[in-house]
Amino acid sequence: MFTQTNRVRRRLVTGGALLTATALALAGCGRSEDSGAAAPESTTSVGSGPATGDLTVWAMGTEGENLPQLTKAFEQANPGTKVTVTPIPWDAAHNKFTTAITAQSLPDAAMVGTTWMGEFAGLDALDPTPNGFDTAGFFPGALDTTKVGGVGYGVPWYVETRVVYYRKDLAAKAGITTPPTDWDGLKAMAKAMQDKAGAKYGINLQPGGQGSWQTVMPFAWSAGASITSDDDKQFTLDSPEMQEGLKYYQSFFTEKVAGTDLPPNQTEAQFVSGQVPMFISGPWMAGSIAKLGGDKMKANIGVFELPKNKTSTSFVGGSNFVVFKASKNKDSAWKLVQWLSEAKTQTEWYKLSTDLPAVQSAWQDPSIASDPLLPVFGKQLETAKAPPAIVNWEQVATAFDAEVEKMAKAGQSPADTAKAIQTKATSIGTGS
Amino acid sequence: MSTATLQEKSARVRPPGRPSARGRRPLDRQTLAAWILALPFVLLFLAFSAGPVIGSLGMSFTDIKQRDLRTPFAVNGVGIENYVKALSDETFRRAALNTAYFVVVGVPLTLVAALGAAVLLDRGVKKFQSLFKVAYYLPVVTSIVAIAVIWRFVLSPDAGLLNTVLGWVGIDGPNWLASKTWAMPSLIAMAVWRNFGSAMIIFLAGLQGIPQSVEEAGQLDGAGSWQRFRYLILPLLRPTVLFTSVVTGIGYLQFFEEPFVMTQGGPLNSTVSVSMYTYQQFGFGNYGLATAMSYLLFVVIAVVTFIQFRLLREK
């Protein structure tokens, strides 16, 4: 859900791109050095006075609709400031941003999908986080998503991570009283769900297709793999650790504990019906299961952290909040960002939107701490990781998904899969 | 129009070897007025059609990426590298094969369905002709997204309409869109259903343009209804067949919507099409590679259309 590829119609993209290119070619404008190759240093620092002037903000989806309620409080604390929020549908957002970056018609600040950071920073659109901006309180994995080539751009705004969901009643039937903590335990539990609790498949794992890397990488990370070298310059997807993660993932399909023939977008329904009583996903699923299965089902939803190999490392998603270089009111824009990342604001925002806070201290609020499921997500977030913020990540991820599909459905060996992902990723390049 | 200009015009249609040796004549008032009236279109055409087409051809020989859009002259020429890269790309070749499969099976099916429906409408059901015309044409004007919802229900593995019906006769239907073998035929069926209406309307017009007397003459000579159709109607329909096959062929070579909304190219790239893969590359900002792929498709469309004209033109 947070790795949107642009789905705007083909004609718009091609036509728009070609038109822009031609128009620019005709206008003959030139630009030489600022191609984003050299990492820019942050030059600004946030002033201490109240924010002033008008601010325009873009935000996607329900966040875009809810944000004005939150910014009202900011306007009250900073008299004379007016924040105008433009809601953008997720589907059109990536394209709208890249077009706006090309045309330099950007807002002052915006919510940005974590996997777009590398690309937008590569397009030289983002303003580096000012000096002295306190970022210590964020979840480290979430904070990593704001860093491109060692430079921070903006802050994490809200987060999500993936844990294992299971049906408590069926687990009891299968003779499982405490959730497993290691790889063998997870497999055994899924098998028991099939053998003793009447499930068609023990666990629902995505057999390739868009975004499946988000479920695969946590296993590889837990085995010690990494996507790139420490400096983000080389891909390291062909490591033995990566193969170990892939092998474990594939074994669920070869042992028929997970299915390749399940219709997509039926995860909740199959969970409620008991056909597939386990899956790995993010916090939003608890709500949609409760909606489908009612209060009785709600009591049967259990979650536990990803099983451990070397570590238990999940995927961290969410959205960041950035300020654009082109903004004419940067100081006030950063003040808004600073205000958005205060623990108190983050708690308010959780109550308004159910988006989980990116600031760790906000999780102590009773509204989150007393939830039956959320603390597990909070625990998982402490170690969760994000893919490196490289320009070409979306493209690498697509190649990754295609190879995972071959491995799950066509029996491609984990070694060949790792090799193919590495080869494709290398030929695509990091893009920086 | 005076006879003089008519003669001049007919002389221009078949020039005797070379154009007139008298050199350029000054523009007469009429021609000038015509150019002035045409100017808004010509300018718009140059700016928004010809310009981008030429620009994109240029782009296909460079290493342009999304980030270079602001500095289009800073890009490097790379010769035919993008074309080589496209042709040696495993997924692109797969997409080309899929597209060929779609065209080779889909176009004849569409034309046969369209012609069949047109003949039935023309001969059989005079009374409800308008109703059937609307019914057959409806999928053409319906949004593909709405169609996708219906077809997903039809093709759904468990509760789907198709598998339910197959179940009645004891056949255990496959998971159509998730099967490597059946995903493409499913999309072809959907495309034929969606598109044959427009070809049908054209066939119907062609059929109604054939004078009744032709068929009556055939009947007098003792030709049966199949013979009359095969040896009289079909040859007279040749221009219509040419037109519909060219238009349908071009449309099907640009196969995009069906896999885009139904399968996203899966499973295992079995339904990815050239247009869809090209679109994906545009999305990644690889404009050089994507425009090269577009031009490869353009060349194929040009060649296929040329062949169709050669095979089907009036002899």
Side-chain angles (χ1 to χ4, degrees):
Chain A
M1 125 177 244
F2 298 98
T3 56
Q4 306 281 334
T5 49
N6 41 356
R7 291 187 195 149
V8 181
R9 289 194 167 269
R10 165 183 51 153
R11 287 200 192 106
L12 275 178
V13 172
T14 53
L18 300 185
L19 280 183
T20 324
T22 317
L24 289 168
L26 289 172
C29 65
R31 184 187 57 121
S32 51
E33 79 289 355
D34 56 341
S35 60
E41 286 295 311
S42 52
T43 48
T44 45
S45 56
V46 188
S48 52
T52 51
D54 291 350
L55 286 171
T56 52
V57 172
W58 288 358
M60 284 80 87
T62 47
E63 281 74 28
E65 286 156 32
N66 288 327
L67 189 55
Q69 295 180 49
L70 191 69
T71 52
K72 255 185 227 148
F74 181 74
E75 287 174 341
Q76 276 159 12
N78 299 276
T81 306
K82 196 176 168 340
V83 183
T84 313
V85 180
T86 309
I88 303 170
W90 267 109
D91 287 7
H94 183 266
N95 207 37
K96 191 168 166 71
F97 273 112
T98 49
T99 313
I101 289 169
T102 312
Q104 291 289 295
S105 58
L106 288 157
D108 295 298
M111 158 185 168
V112 162
T114 51
T115 50
W116 302 344
M117 295 296 289
E119 185 183 354
F120 293 176
L123 289 165
D124 200 27
L126 305 178
D127 196 43
T129 314
N131 295 320
F133 206 94
D134 182 23
T135 54
F138 295 108
F139 286 107
L143 188 61
D144 278 347
T145 66
T146 65
K147 287 185 181 149
V148 183
V151 181
Y153 298 92
V155 298
W157 185 29
Y158 66 83
V159 291
E160 54 93 358
T161 189
R162 314 290 158 86
V163 298
V164 188
Y165 280 78
Y166 73 105
R167 278 273 296 268
K168 280 184 183 166
D169 53 339
L170 293 179
K173 214 170 155 189
I176 309 242
T177 44
T178 46
T181 53
D182 58 10
W183 280 15
D184 291 341
L186 180 72
K187 178 89 69 63
M189 177 174 179
K191 275 192 174 139
M193 287 288 199
Q194 268 178 313
D195 299 340
K196 296 179 198 155
K200 187 179 175 197
Y201 290 112
I203 186 167
N204 192 335
L205 295 173
Q206 209 183 337
Q210 196 182 6
S212 56
W213 65 271
Q214 294 174 3
T215 317
V216 178
M217 267 323 288
F219 288 111
W221 277 326
S222 297
S226 65
I227 293 174
T228 55
S229 56
D230 286 341
D231 59 2
D232 286 353
K233 292 217 165 73
Q234 251 109 44
F235 289 103
T236 54
L237 291 156
D238 195 15
S239 63
E241 292 84 8
M242 182 78 193
Q243 290 182 29
E244 195 184 344
L246 291 171
K247 201 173 156 194
Y248 180 66
Y249 198 79
Q250 190 191 35
S251 70
F252 281 93
F253 297 101
T254 47
E255 293 168 30
K256 309 266 182 239
V257 183
T260 58
D261 56 349
L262 294 169
N265 308 321
Q266 297 288 314
T267 313
E268 296 98 322
Q270 287 162 341
F271 185 82
V272 169
S273 74
Q275 275 195 314
V276 190
M278 289 167 75
F279 63 87
I280 296 172
S281 191
W284 59 87
M285 286 303 261
S288 30
I289 291 168
K291 204 169 155 192
L292 191 71
D295 281 344
K296 213 175 137 216
M297 185 51 60
K298 211 170 174 177
N300 281 327
I301 305 173
V303 292
F304 57 90
E305 285 181 66
L306 283 189
K308 208 168 150 179
N309 181 300
K310 285 195 187 69
T311 58
S312 158
T313 309
S314 190
F315 165 87
V316 57
S319 285
N320 297 337
F321 222 90
V322 302
V323 171
F324 289 105
K325 238 182 197 169
S327 165
K328 296 215 166 56
N329 197 0
K330 273 189 219 174
D331 189 60
S332 297
W334 279 113
K335 276 177 186 142
L336 173 68
V337 172
Q338 203 165 38
W339 180 78
L340 284 173
S341 40
E342 282 168 20
K344 203 171 134 270
T345 320
Q346 293 248 308
T347 318
E348 282 304 306
W349 180 239
Y350 166 72
K351 286 176 187 161
L352 214 59
S353 67
T354 70
D355 284 339
L356 298 176
V359 175
Q360 281 174 297
S361 55
W363 285 69
Q364 281 149 20
D365 190 88
S367 61
I368 299 175
S370 63
D371 187 279
L373 306 178
L374 287 180
V376 176
F377 287 93
K379 192 89 202 319
Q380 186 81 69
L381 271 165
E382 287 169 14
T383 54
K385 271 191 183 177
I390 52 177
V391 178
N392 287 346
W393 174 250
E394 292 281 331
Q395 203 174 341
V396 173
T398 304
F400 195 125
D401 291 341
E403 295 305 321
V404 169
E405 190 179 18
K406 285 185 203 164
M407 182 178 84
K409 290 185 184 166
Q412 177 171 267
S413 77
D416 288 348
T417 306
K419 213 166 154 188
I421 299 171
Q422 172 72 9
T423 311
K424 283 191 181 171
T426 309
S427 82
I428 291 164
T430 59
S432 54
Chain B
M1 199 180 277
S2 68
T3 32
T5 48
L6 263 182
Q7 275 165 0
E8 197 177 283
K9 219 178 161 193
S10 60
R12 224 183 279 158
V13 169
R14 306 195 69 191
R18 290 173 59 83
S20 103
R22 277 186 293 162
R24 280 183 158 199
R25 284 176 301 152
L27 285 175
D28 61 55
R29 284 174 56 123
Q30 226 179 342
T31 323
L32 190 67
W35 273 109
I36 289 171
L37 287 172
L39 199 62
F41 165 75
V42 172
L43 287 181
L44 283 173
F45 174 77
L46 286 178
F48 293 106
S49 292
V53 166
I54 293 162
S56 65
L57 181 62
M59 275 165 88
S60 74
F61 295 104
T62 67
D63 62 355
I64 187 165
K65 304 275 269 180
Q66 186 160 30
R67 67 167 77 165
D68 299 317
L69 281 183
R70 273 189 279 160
T71 55
F73 293 115
V75 300
N76 303 310
V78 292
I80 58 163
E81 192 188 295
N82 286 323
Y83 290 87
V84 174
K85 210 169 156 188
L87 289 172
S88 55
D89 183 338
E90 187 197 332
T91 315
F92 183 78
R93 289 202 302 244
R94 187 66 210 256
L97 283 179
N98 289 340
T99 309
Y101 177 11
F102 180 76
V103 169
V104 168
V105 179
V107 172
L109 276 179
T110 307
L111 293 184
V112 167
L115 186 57
V119 169
L120 285 179
L121 280 183
D122 188 45
R123 300 296 131 105
V125 278
K126 291 273 191 233
K127 208 170 175 187
F128 297 108
Q129 212 191 48
S130 301
L131 174 73
F132 280 101
K133 259 196 241 178
V134 170
Y136 287 145
Y137 200 71
L138 213 53
V140 180
V141 291
T142 308
S143 152
I144 177 78
V145 182
I147 287 175
V149 173
I150 303 295
W151 276 79
R152 272 208 207 101
F153 164 68
V154 171
L155 297 169
S156 157
D158 295 326
L161 183 69
L162 185 55
N163 280 357
T164 308
V165 172
L166 286 176
W168 291 342
V169 292
I171 299 172
D172 196 12
N175 187 351
W176 297 96
L177 291 174
S179 151
K180 231 180 129 184
T181 325
W182 290 107
M184 192 54 126
S186 304
L187 294 190
I188 291 175
M190 184 177 154
V192 170
W193 174 82
R194 189 162 92 94
N195 292 310
F196 86 94
S198 52
M200 180 199 72
I201 295 288
I202 298 163
F203 275 129
L204 198 56
L207 282 171
Q208 283 165 355
I210 296 171
Q212 201 71 41
S213 54
V214 172
E215 209 162 346
E216 281 164 9
Q219 220 158 1
L220 279 177
D221 287 342
S225 61
W226 168 249
Q227 282 174 317
R228 291 203 300 276
F229 177 73
R230 172 69 188 82
Y231 295 105
L232 289 173
I233 309 293
L234 213 48
L236 286 169
L237 269 184
R238 190 189 277 272
T240 319
V241 173
L242 172 66
F243 178 77
T244 49
S245 70
V246 166
V247 170
T248 313
I250 291 175
Y252 278 23
L253 279 164
Q254 293 175 340
F255 184 41
F256 178 82
E257 281 100 339
E258 281 81 4
F260 188 70
V261 297
M262 298 293 287
T263 61
Q264 288 288 322
L268 291 166
N269 284 339
S270 61
T271 55
V272 69
S273 75
V274 172
S275 291
M276 209 187 130
Y277 193 54
T278 306
Y279 169 77
Q280 206 177 39
Q281 293 302 324
F282 270 114
F284 290 142
N286 297 330
Y287 294 155
L289 183 61
T291 44
M293 288 174 177
S294 308
Y295 272 89
L296 286 171
L297 181 63
F298 169 78
V299 169
V300 171
I301 290 176
V303 169
V304 169
T305 308
F306 177 76
I307 292 171
Q308 282 174 322
F309 267 97
R310 287 301 292 262
L311 288 177
L312 288 166
R313 70 174 170 196
E314 304 267 13
K315 299 239 164 70

